[in-house]
């Protein structure tokens, strides 16, 4: 048992940290997030070409650095620390995850190169967090498939070139059987999107499929049998979110500690008030435990109960750290101008992404306590 | 002890309810709590109440108060919350008004109170300064007293205020300024000034908050000339007014009636949203959160009623109101949090709102649109008006004597 | 709407407070609780004769002071404040409650006089907090009834002269229909008890019925129809417990505030530490809210949802105040010698009496949210 | 990073498990955590381990340590917890032992360490004094240095200690005493003495705690004569030993492995107890409490593993161990609370225990009998060894630099 990072892993983290410190400070991030596109082609290109981090989690044969989920964790932590809005989770962790799962070497190559970006269209207006809840249908036609349906709040769809879509080829609306997975270019005929910004600075779309025809090659794996792969990749994404949360929490703690050391009330720095000290200690302990849980979960992948556990602990931590970081900043904590509020907003959204704390507690209970 | 309403009180409730039904503006139905109203919409109900004589129920009757019992005032609040009316702004009614009728000169009362009662003057509050927060005693805005060419005395005010709520609409502001920089204690040497917001030298600059709202402002004062007769209370003794106002500001902050409406709204949303194919409200853990909110709100409600009864028995609003502030804001924030949880994915889109004539459809169900901004913006309630940490300090000192 | 007490109510409270201050300080209480009997005949006699409080909640026609549940609340609050072990709840609130319900004037008279003391035998080893869960049976025989079964942890049975017993005359084990109620002398043939002390200083018994024969007159009301009356009287008892909790919490708060003002660490009274101050503020707020909830619930009797709400809020408050009172006392908080630990123990037991916080939350949900 | 156990580590686990199975005394099966054992029973397993050479795994090998890696020590603890063994008492192994091998003279090491390793000497700790609590610097027990008629130097010790755990069984005690009452800072002028508990002038008086246990004592020292060579470290510099010991005391306090066993026990109890006719574990809210405990325990477990890895990489037990103390005790207390909730009515009877030959049956199920006393007694864990408030202060200062 060891907690050490390899040299390559350390290098990935260090170069990424340096790059973000240089080119992605809070002001730059805000400018990117508030641009019309809501993300930066330049940054993405730099991820691919200057840093090569888009390949960190892929095997060397496919042009990657030979890593895996630990590399994704390392990158996602920095994504969280700097509030990066570019689609690493959607494209590399999720899109790359499906590519790995289904042996799509060409897709991985395009991801690493930065030219293909993916959005994962899974959620539906009535489905809440159930991955198998699919009103979106795919019916066979002329050797291909025809997709119809509405996908809700598809993160990173505006910046994506391709979509990975879950659709039902058979079975009832929430059945595990009948879940199929398709990879298609976003500009496929019959696919339309409505793009919008998100409260956390990201972007998303409503995606509508109106008899969108795709060839048989768009189907990933076997028809109706994708539920397992979807669950597996979503668990990888959940662990990625946990890592993002670690970076986000640690940065909120740093901002709060720095601020309270500087800010004076009644003539003393407010960091000297015992109540605030203990609050910051509790915030620190949440972040430490979040890090521990992320290490645990990444090492136990593909164990789904472990990912659920991590999401639960981290979801609670995000709420506690986020709310108190704002509270301890006082008035400026809730202004748009200061960074801490934006971390809080992202923290709030991570808590609900792919399912709330309550959702993952129930999932954990079912997997671990109801045998 | 009898906590049921008397027949007279029930009759009063009917009267109120009927009045609201018959007089509340149709276009503002259910607009209470909306952050995107214009000046006229925010004042409309206040002005109707002003005509009826119900705009300042808590004031002494000689200045326009209604003489209602605490229970009647409670019923009044409940019925307004039930109808989700746009409440009169507190800056005049609950804050500067009581200061003026308590500490002001007869001329000041005559000059300023009618506009508050009628809902025609919009007031804002110039207390906080950058870097000062809840620590009012350290304030830096200076007011120097001069005699001008016209032979009259003025204060020349210089400084900066912040977190000034809705100053963008204000006609007048009440400001704490330092008139004696050499006072021995920091809270001495402060005066309480009423300033016309159209006076030259005043600049109002918006602060945008997390939910995207323009609700608070910075106010810059650059050689602002204020006639001395716009000072309330004695020079250098503004702290007395400030303390009085802070205690008043806290009363009513529990927001019980509005929170009841908030919980009903959660139940509605959770009856529509599906979770594992069933209404979310049937998720036992979600339901439990609602139940716990109801229980805590009942505890707050009866704690407020006890406080009101104490006030009726002659105890003014005291440090006990800090309990109402703390518990009230905690519940409001939990309600906002639970709404966000309930709406699921559609809490994430950033709904900037669409102007008139913009017929673009909105994203997700209507009830989801402001869930996140309201939650984010709601974090202010445990910070403003004396943070909940400050309130606990007040209770520790004033109530428990620690 | 008013929160005022009548003159008689104020008098009941004041005389009782004075009496307990004189004759029931902590040392006296410990001596009584640790005596072989575990309660004091003398104190009970004084309640009846010197103070007359046993009649405070009964109508004047029956020899009482003309009061009701508010009087019970007033007495129970002082019971909590002084950790009184004598059976006011069992005898007056519960026994008296059933007597009132079934118009047993003679029984009320005996209760007021102090000669009859009652224990309420309802719980069973497998029934947890379900009032209708009855394995104990009563079958008709020769115009009377024969009782068989085992009642668990019957509070105040050792000091009781009579038992009020729930037993099933028909129906399945948890049915509402078929619940019957019997009043019988404890020395009825076929009734045996095993007495023991309780962790909170009280006493209880296991009560066994082995073909215990009682006459028809022992039946209260109609056979099989007692569930409603049981629920009603238990709700009155729950509100009584809430009042006891208020006294108990307020006393813990007082002890803690006094102690922290006196105790020095690093040269200053520990009451000056901000973290402890805020903790004591939270404890104070719990007690205030407990008082509010008790007033609410007593006024809304017989509304069962209100009693449930009160029990929930107060159960949480008891845990918070109790644990922190001990914590803030430090080492001496967990010694047998100091009072605060004994309040904590009683607080812990109140939280579970007639059902835990979880139980009453579910009850509240069913009554208020599942219509 | 690889958090799986290596094949070597798994083999080690098997070795440990087999050893415990084959050597652990039958009569003490599952006795770990019982508060009612006698001296011999509490030492039996320690003595068996002493013979095997496994009684002091964390010590340097030259004094009897095993040289195990942190992971091996972790496995060792896990397996002992799994078998619910009676752990060696910490006073010798984790507290005074490390002080002696770090600061003691060669003679002291030779004299005292073997008895600790073998489990034949019972040690107790004389730190706390009435009214001093976690504030060791204010201690009052005095030691005056004299030369006796035999020409040898002694300390004459006078004072009172309290919260002295299991002093009723102790052969020796380690005491902090004030040797220089005029020292400039209060933590200066303190010395660290080893005292034979049979020395005349020592009186041990029980303190009964809430659960009814006799676990702690007051120790009175009345002109107790202690040879100077029983002082560890320099005179007046006992604070160094004390601080070192406090850091050591905290390590291992997380109690992860024992808490795992505790949670399994809750599941067993809740599978037996009925709630509305079904096993309590099927009550969704009870189940959720168990799930939340498991989640929090996993977080603590991996936080401890990270700390152990840090230690292996050369960082000594530092202020991070305060996190383990806080979270560890919180979880232990929650487990105790949940057991009490689970057992229902039968948590109330006060089970005083029955002597041998007493064949009176017990009240309620066996698992219910100690539920309440264990919960009450367990409140000590957030108080002793530096209260959790003190621990948070340590983290604030030492880790966060606030």
């Amino acid at each position: 048992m060891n907690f050490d990072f390899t040299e390559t892993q350390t290098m990935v983290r260090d170069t990424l940290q340096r790059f973000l410190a240089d080119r992605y400070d809070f002001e730059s991030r805000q400018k990117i997030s508030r641009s019309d596109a809501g993300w930066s082609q330049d940054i993405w290109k730099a991820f691919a070409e200057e840093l090569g981090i888009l390949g960190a989690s892929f095997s060397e044969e496919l042009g990657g650095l030979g890593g895996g989920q630990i590399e994704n964790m390392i990158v996602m932590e920095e994504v969280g620390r700097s509030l990066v809005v570019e689609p690493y989770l959607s494209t590399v962790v999720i899109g790359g995850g499906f590519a790995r799962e289904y042996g799509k070497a060409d897709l991985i190559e395009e991801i690493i190169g930065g030219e293909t970006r993916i959005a994962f269209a899974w959620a539906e207006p009535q489905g809440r967090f159930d991955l198998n809840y699919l009103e979106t249908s795919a019916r066979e036609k002329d050797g291909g498939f025809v997709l119809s349906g509405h996908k809700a709040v598809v993160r990173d769809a505006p910046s994506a070139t391709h979509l990975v879509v879950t659709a039902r080829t058979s079975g009832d609306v929430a059945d595990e059987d009948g879940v199929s997975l398709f990879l298609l270019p976003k500009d496929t005929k019959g696919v339309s999107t409505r793009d919008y910004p998100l409260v956390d600075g990201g972007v998303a779309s409503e995606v509508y499929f109106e008899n969108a025809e795709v060839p048989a090659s768009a189907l990933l794996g076997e028809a109706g049998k994708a539920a397992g792969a979807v669950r597996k990749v979503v668990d990888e994404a959940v662990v990625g979110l946990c890592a993002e949360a670690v970076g986000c929490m640690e940065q909120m703690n740093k901002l709060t500690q720095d601020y309270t050391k500087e800010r004076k009330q009644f003539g003393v720095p407010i960091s000297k008030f015992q109540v605030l000290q203990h609050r910051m200690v509790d915030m620190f302990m949440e972040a430490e435990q979040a890090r521990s849980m992320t290490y645990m979960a990444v090492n136990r992948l593909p164990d789904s109960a472990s990912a659920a556990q991590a999401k639960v602990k981290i979801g609670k931590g995000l709420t506690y750290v986020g709310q108190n970081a704002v509270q301890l900043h006082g008035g400026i904590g809730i202004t748009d101008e200061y960074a801490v509020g934006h971390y809080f907003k992202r923290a709030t959204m991570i808590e609900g992404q792919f399912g709330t704390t309550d959702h993952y507690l129930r999932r954990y209970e079912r997997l671990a306590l109801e045998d | 002890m009898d906590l049921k309403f008397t027949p007279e009180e029930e009759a009063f409730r009917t009267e109120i309810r009927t009045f609201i039904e018959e007089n509340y503006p149709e276009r503002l139905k259910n607009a209470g709590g909306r952050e995107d109203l214009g000046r006229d919409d925010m004042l409309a109900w206040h002005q109707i109440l002003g005509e009826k004589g119900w705009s300042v129920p808590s004031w002494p009757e000689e200045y326009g108060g209604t003489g209602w019992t605490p229970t009647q005032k409670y019923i009044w609040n409940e019925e307004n919350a039930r109808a989700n009316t746009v409440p009169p702004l507190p800056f005049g009614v609950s804050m500067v008004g009581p200061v003026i009728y308590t500490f002001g000169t007869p001329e000041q009362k005559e000059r300023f109170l009618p506009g508050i009662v009628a809902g025609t003057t919009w007031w804002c509050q110039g207390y906080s300064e950058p870097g000062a927060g809840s620590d009012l005693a350290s304030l830096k805005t200076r007011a120097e007293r001069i005699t001008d060419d016209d032979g009259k005395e003025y204060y020349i005010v210089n400084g900066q205020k912040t977190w000034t709520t809705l100053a963008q609409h204000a006609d007048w502001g009440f400001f704490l300024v330092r008139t004696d920089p050499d006072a021995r204690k920091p809270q001495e040497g402060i005066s309480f000034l009423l300033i016309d917001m159209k006076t030259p030298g005043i600049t109002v600059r918006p602060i945008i908050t997390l939910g995207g709202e323009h609700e608070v402002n910075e106010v810059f004062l650059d050689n602002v000339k204020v006639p001395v007769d716009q000072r309330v209370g004695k020079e250098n003794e503004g702290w007395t007014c400030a303390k009085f106002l802070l205690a008043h500001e806290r009363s009513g902050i529990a927001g019980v009636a509005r929170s009841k409406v908030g919980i009903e709204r959660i139940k509605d949303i959770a009856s529509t949203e599906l979770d594992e194919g069933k209404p979310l409200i049937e998720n036992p853990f979600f339901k439990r959160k609602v139940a716990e909110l109801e229980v805590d709100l009942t505890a707050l409600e009866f704690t407020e009623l006890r406080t009101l009864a104490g006030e009726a028995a002659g105890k003014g609003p005291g440090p006990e109101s800090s309990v109402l502030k703390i518990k009230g804001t905690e519940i409001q924030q939990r309600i906002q949090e639970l709404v966000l949880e309930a709406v699921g994915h559609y809490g994430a889109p950033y709904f900037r709102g669409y102007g008139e004539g913009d017929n673009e459809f909105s994203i997700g169900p209507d009830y989801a649109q402001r869930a996140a901004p309201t939650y984010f913006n709601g974090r202010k309630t445990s910070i403003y008006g004396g943070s909940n940490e400050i309130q606990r300090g007040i209770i520790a000192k004033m109530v428990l004597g620690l």
Side-chain angles (χ1 to χ4, degrees), chain A, chain B:
Chain A
M1 180 179 290
N2 78 81
F3 285 85
D4 310 326
F5 291 119
T6 64
E7 266 181 55
T8 315
Q9 289 166 347
T10 307
M11 188 204 68
V12 166
R13 190 188 57 203
D14 293 352
T15 28
L16 181 55
Q17 279 182 349
R18 258 196 311 276
F19 175 86
L20 294 171
D22 278 359
R23 308 241 324 248
Y24 216 87
D25 60 11
F26 177 63
E27 282 67 35
S28 315
R29 185 268 186 186
Q30 289 301 78
K31 201 177 284 176
I32 291 170
S33 163
R34 286 171 179 181
S35 67
D36 282 346
W39 69 292
S40 162
Q41 281 269 15
D42 289 349
I43 295 291
W44 194 250
K45 204 169 162 207
F47 280 3
E49 294 169 14
E50 281 178 52
L51 303 174
I53 58 162
L54 301 187
S57 66
F58 298 108
S59 69
E60 289 177 23
E61 302 90 75
L62 294 164
L65 295 178
Q69 297 305 330
I70 292 177
E71 281 69 12
N72 276 337
M73 174 182 80
I74 288 169
V75 173
M76 285 304 295
E77 187 181 321
E78 300 312 319
V79 164
R81 199 184 312 279
S82 295
L83 288 182
V84 171
V85 294
E86 281 66 27
Y88 188 89
L89 187 83
S90 293
T91 296
V92 181
V93 180
I94 300 174
F98 285 122
R100 193 185 290 111
E101 200 62 23
Y102 291 107
K104 293 271 181 189
D106 48 342
L107 181 58
I108 290 176
E109 215 168 293
E110 288 164 32
I111 289 172
I112 293 175
E115 58 263 33
T116 291
R117 289 172 306 277
I118 295 167
F120 180 35
W122 65 277
E124 305 203 352
Q126 295 292 326
R128 207 162 168 91
F129 309 122
D130 186 348
L131 299 171
N132 299 333
Y133 186 101
L134 295 175
E135 296 187 30
T136 299
S137 66
R139 59 186 165 78
E140 288 188 58
K141 185 190 168 194
D142 306 337
F145 294 87
V146 182
L147 300 176
S148 299
H150 169 194
K151 292 290 182 177
V153 195
V154 181
R155 279 198 176 251
D156 298 316
S159 59
T161 58
H162 290 71
L163 300 172
V164 172
V165 183
T166 53
R168 181 161 296 288
T169 43
S170 63
D172 276 341
V173 73
D175 283 357
E176 174 147 346
D177 236 54
V179 175
S180 297
L181 203 57
F182 297 90
L183 170 72
L184 51 142
K186 198 172 72 173
D187 58 9
T188 299
K189 191 159 167 291
V191 177
S192 63
T193 61
R194 181 175 171 207
D195 301 348
Y196 48 82
L198 299 173
V199 289
D200 59 11
V203 288
S205 308
E206 298 298 284
V207 181
Y208 305 92
F209 298 91
E210 288 170 276
N211 296 315
E213 299 191 17
V214 297
S217 62
L219 178 71
L220 294 175
E222 205 180 324
K225 299 293 176 208
V230 169
R231 183 73 253 172
K232 185 177 174 210
V233 170
V234 166
D235 281 339
E236 290 167 0
V238 162
V239 173
L241 284 170
C242 288
E244 184 182 359
V246 169
C248 186
M249 278 191 229
E250 288 186 353
Q251 187 62 14
M252 285 192 279
N253 283 343
K254 184 177 180 313
L255 289 170
T256 307
Q257 290 160 22
D258 289 351
Y259 177 74
T260 57
K261 283 177 194 169
E262 201 177 278
R263 167 105 163 90
K264 286 184 179 165
Q265 205 162 35
F266 310 111
V268 286
I270 63 174
S271 65
K272 293 292 173 198
F273 294 134
Q274 198 189 23
V275 161
L276 304 194
Q277 289 190 345
H278 285 207
R279 197 87 56 84
M280 285 186 272
V281 168
D282 286 333
M283 292 160 73
F284 164 76
M285 292 196 293
E286 287 301 328
E288 283 297 304
Q289 292 179 93
R291 180 175 288 283
S292 306
M293 282 305 244
T294 305
Y295 288 175
M296 179 281 297
V298 78
N299 268 277
R300 288 189 183 165
L301 277 174
D303 181 50
S304 203
S306 295
Q309 262 196 321
K311 187 76 163 63
V312 166
K313 184 71 187 167
I314 285 163
K316 291 184 188 182
L318 284 165
T319 302
Y320 187 82
V321 173
Q323 292 181 348
N324 280 297
V326 169
Q327 181 73 18
L328 267 57
H329 272 79
I332 70 157
I334 63 150
T335 62
D336 186 65
E337 210 174 319
Y338 277 77
V340 70
H342 296 274
Y343 282 92
F344 169 53
K345 293 206 271 188
R346 179 65 195 131
T348 303
M349 289 298 115
I350 296 175
E351 197 271 333
Q353 224 170 315
F354 286 111
T356 55
T357 301
D358 176 64
H359 175 80
Y360 277 98
L361 257 169
R362 276 195 295 167
R363 187 165 168 75
Y364 176 74
E365 286 158 13
R366 284 170 188 164
L367 292 169
L369 292 173
E370 295 170 17
D371 40 21
Chain B
M1 181 181 291
D2 185 352
L3 307 188
K4 284 180 281 299
F5 293 106
T6 62
E8 293 73 29
E9 287 161 349
E10 291 295 359
F12 177 78
R13 184 188 293 280
T14 308
E15 184 191 353
I16 298 294
R17 190 174 295 186
T18 310
F19 179 79
I20 295 175
E21 273 165 20
E22 291 175 357
N23 294 279
Y24 188 73
E26 187 63 33
R27 74 176 188 286
L28 295 174
K29 275 270 154 73
N30 269 318
R34 260 172 59 192
E35 293 117 339
D36 54 348
L37 298 177
R39 181 182 153 117
D40 288 350
D41 283 345
M42 294 194 82
L43 290 178
W45 183 227
H46 185 162
Q47 289 169 354
I48 292 165
L49 295 177
E51 276 171 42
K52 173 77 176 172
W54 285 357
S55 63
V56 290
S58 293
W59 288 20
E61 288 178 70
E62 53 180 313
Y63 304 118
T66 53
W68 290 339
T69 64
T71 307
Q72 285 178 307
K73 283 187 258 176
Y74 187 81
I75 292 169
W76 167 251
N77 285 332
E78 266 203 325
E79 289 302 314
N80 272 279
R82 202 178 145 274
N84 204 8
T85 62
V86 177
L89 291 162
F91 313 106
V93 172
S94 313
M95 298 166 85
V96 75
V99 168
I100 292 173
Y101 69 63
T102 307
F103 300 101
T105 62
E107 293 74 26
Q108 286 171 336
K109 293 179 191 175
E110 202 176 321
R111 181 173 174 196
F112 295 110
L113 296 182
I116 299 175
V117 173
T120 48
T121 320
W122 188 300
W123 284 85
C124 69
Q125 179 194 40
Y127 264 40
S128 297
E129 298 188 359
S134 299
D135 177 17
L136 289 179
S138 75
L139 91 167
K140 292 196 180 64
T141 296
R142 284 288 318 277
E144 262 182 293
R145 190 160 172 164
I146 58 143
T147 307
D148 204 0
D149 302 340
D150 60 7
K152 290 194 197 148
E153 286 192 297
Y154 291 91
Y155 291 106
I156 303 300
V157 183
N158 280 287
Q160 185 189 343
K161 296 289 177 179
T162 191
W163 314 127
T164 314
T165 305
L166 297 173
Q168 69 267 37
H169 300 307
D171 304 306
W172 282 79
F174 51 98
F175 287 78
L176 286 182
V177 297
R178 187 164 294 285
T179 35
D180 178 5
D182 304 320
R184 279 168 315 163
K185 291 182 178 177
Q187 66 267 48
E188 291 174 6
I190 290 173
S191 298
F192 188 99
L193 299 188
L194 310 180
I195 305 183
D196 185 333
M197 293 297 284
K198 287 179 295 297
T199 316
I202 295 183
T203 313
V204 175
R205 205 162 70 186
I207 298 173
I208 303 302
T209 50
L210 278 189
E213 290 82 11
H214 173 199
E215 209 180 34
V216 288
N217 300 274
E218 293 179 295
V219 176
F220 297 87
L221 301 114
D222 179 20
N223 286 318
V224 176
K225 217 167 99 178
V226 181
V228 164
D229 66 3
Q230 287 172 211
R231 188 194 67 232
V232 182
K234 295 199 188 130
E235 191 171 79
N236 296 330
E237 294 186 10
W239 187 243
T240 315
C241 300
K243 267 194 311 189
F244 172 86
L245 188 153
L246 278 179
H248 257 266
E249 189 188 351
R250 280 197 291 276
S251 73
I253 206 159
V256 169
R258 305 259 165 196
S259 286
K260 278 189 190 172
V261 175
I263 292 175
E264 290 310 312
R265 192 162 163 264
I266 291 175
K267 289 184 196 169
D268 286 347
I269 295 173
S271 303
T272 307
E273 285 286 319
L274 297 185
D275 177 46
E276 304 194 342
K278 282 182 298 195
L280 177 61
I281 192 69
E282 293 176 24
N283 169 332
F285 302 103
F286 191 90
K287 183 163 50 187
R288 173 140 298 186
K289 286 182 200 172
V290 175
E292 287 176 321
L293 264 171
E294 289 193 343
V295 170
D296 287 342
L297 186 57
T298 305
L300 178 64
E301 178 177 16
F302 281 80
T303 303
E304 186 180 31
L305 287 167
R306 284 173 55 216
T307 309
L308 291 175
E311 282 181 39
K315 302 180 209 153
E320 290 77 11
S321 62
S322 292
V323 176
L324 306 179
K325 158 80 182 358
I326 294 169
K327 291 294 160 192
T329 53
E330 284 176 359
I331 286 173
Q332 289 155 31
Q333 292 179 334
R334 278 165 59 199
I335 290 173
Q336 292 156 356
E337 204 172 337
L338 203 52
V339 170
L340 182 57
E341 179 175 341
V343 303
H345 302 293
Y346 284 113
Y350 181 36
F351 180 71
R352 289 205 174 98
Y354 300 99
E356 238 176 301
D358 186 343
N359 55 12
E360 193 169 14
F361 64 96
S362 64
I363 299 151
D366 283 351
Y367 55 68
Q369 283 169 19
R370 292 208 49 82
T374 301
Y375 168 63
F376 296 143
N377 192 41
R379 302 315 300 175
K380 75 181 175 193
T381 55
S382 52
I383 294 173
Y384 287 2
S387 73
N388 284 7
E389 288 82 7
I390 295 279
Q391 304 294 345
R392 282 188 169 82
I394 291 172
I395 299 171
K397 194 172 164 186
M398 311 288 281
V399 184
L400 309 185
L402 299 176

